[in-house]
Amino acid sequence: MLITFEGIEGSGKSTQAEHLEANLRQRGLDPLLSREPGGSPLGRELRRILLNSGSTDLTDEAELFLYLADRAQHVAWIISPALRQGRIVIVDRYIDSTVAYQGCGRGVHPEVIPELNRIATRGVYPDLTFVLDVEEQTGLERAKGRNAASGSQEAEGRFEAEALAFHQRVRQEYRRMAAAEPQRIRLLDGSDSADRIQARILEEVEAGLAERTFDAGNFTEGNT
């Protein structure tokens, strides 16, 4: 099962992804938690370029293809092998981030990004996606405060430096995608308490796992 977390900067998605991993481990499972960019050795090199505030000469098209390169390597080296082992894979950002940030936020050829994502992922799509939704200004204040506390304003602050209008476009696209794909995407109120959000996520994941176990049981029973 592939579960992804999405949202604007400071939405709380990374925290909730970590909580989900910890909860699944407590239940005796062996989930894999990864992230984009940076989920593979190559991805870690690309992350240093993509999120660094000093990367001011990076064109929008170059940014798009660097994210796709990160994803292609991530899927081939990390995600697909874990899925083949039967593990639950949790990813902090995935295909929807490229649609929202590069396609809508930057306006870089949004019509071709779904096909580019298909190529980069080799057709490995999420089973369940959580979008943490917060007001743009709230998210930015959280993200900037987090970076200041960790001393990562330079290393991780490139998108936080974007104008508010950019983050508004990104948020609007996330909300549009959630409305268009309710069977996969769950839009959660990121301003709610962390415990309440966590409980909702666990409820959705448990339902998804139960459904997959039931389907697998039927398949096995029907072929014995």
Side-chain angles (χ1 to χ4, degrees):
M1 187 175 187
L2 176 56
I3 303 168
T4 59
F5 282 79
E6 299 281 357
I8 65 169
E9 310 304 316
S11 62
K13 60 177 181 50
S14 300
T15 298
Q16 288 300 332
E18 291 168 2
H19 284 331
L20 177 58
E21 182 206 22
N23 271 285
L24 293 176
R25 287 198 181 282
Q26 288 173 3
R27 297 171 187 224
L29 299 172
D30 182 30
L32 170 69
L33 175 62
S34 193
R35 67 179 181 178
E36 289 192 358
S40 68
L42 173 63
R44 287 189 280 277
E45 295 296 321
L46 294 176
R47 185 181 181 90
R48 281 194 278 271
I49 298 170
L50 286 163
L51 300 190
N52 195 293
S53 297
S55 298
T56 56
D57 58 348
L58 195 63
T59 69
D60 293 345
E61 292 78 10
E63 177 185 282
L64 169 63
F65 283 106
L66 287 177
Y67 271 109
L68 291 165
D70 166 75
R71 183 160 303 129
Q73 194 79 357
H74 190 205
V75 170
W77 280 61
I78 307 298
I79 295 176
S80 287
L83 291 174
R84 285 195 294 269
Q85 293 168 4
R87 300 175 71 185
I88 297 170
V89 179
I90 304 164
V91 182
D92 181 353
R93 294 204 183 281
Y94 195 51
I95 56 173
D96 299 306
S97 281
T98 306
V99 175
Y101 277 76
Q102 283 71 52
C104 192
R106 302 285 193 214
V108 183
H109 302 293
E111 71 283 358
V112 302
I113 287 180
E115 177 62 12
L116 294 175
N117 268 331
R118 185 193 67 78
I119 295 170
T121 63
R122 304 181 184 185
V124 177
Y125 291 109
D127 297 292
L128 182 61
T129 298
F130 295 104
V131 173
L132 277 292
D133 182 51
V134 295
E135 293 288 339
E136 300 85 356
Q137 192 61 51
T138 299
L140 282 174
E141 289 172 1
R142 286 181 182 176
K144 289 177 180 178
R146 175 200 65 210
N147 289 348
S150 64
S152 59
Q153 301 100 313
E154 179 69 21
E156 300 268 325
R158 184 165 170 264
F159 284 95
E160 286 83 348
E162 291 290 340
L164 184 63
F166 172 84
H167 297 281
Q168 290 170 336
R169 292 193 297 272
V170 171
R171 183 189 179 203
Q172 288 168 4
E173 181 61 13
Y174 274 129
R175 293 173 67 88
R176 185 201 68 77
M177 287 190 286
E181 293 189 66
Q183 72 282 2
R184 173 175 70 91
I185 302 176
R186 306 291 186 268
L187 187 70
L188 305 179
D189 183 358
S191 65
D192 205 349
S193 72
D195 288 344
R196 286 172 61 88
I197 296 171
Q198 183 181 354
R200 172 75 188 283
I201 289 170
L202 285 171
E203 179 182 324
E204 294 283 355
V205 171
E206 286 171 354
L209 288 173
E211 181 179 336
R212 293 173 73 84
T213 301
F214 177 77
D215 289 344
N218 282 349
F219 179 83
T220 302
E221 182 179 345
N223 285 274
T224 54

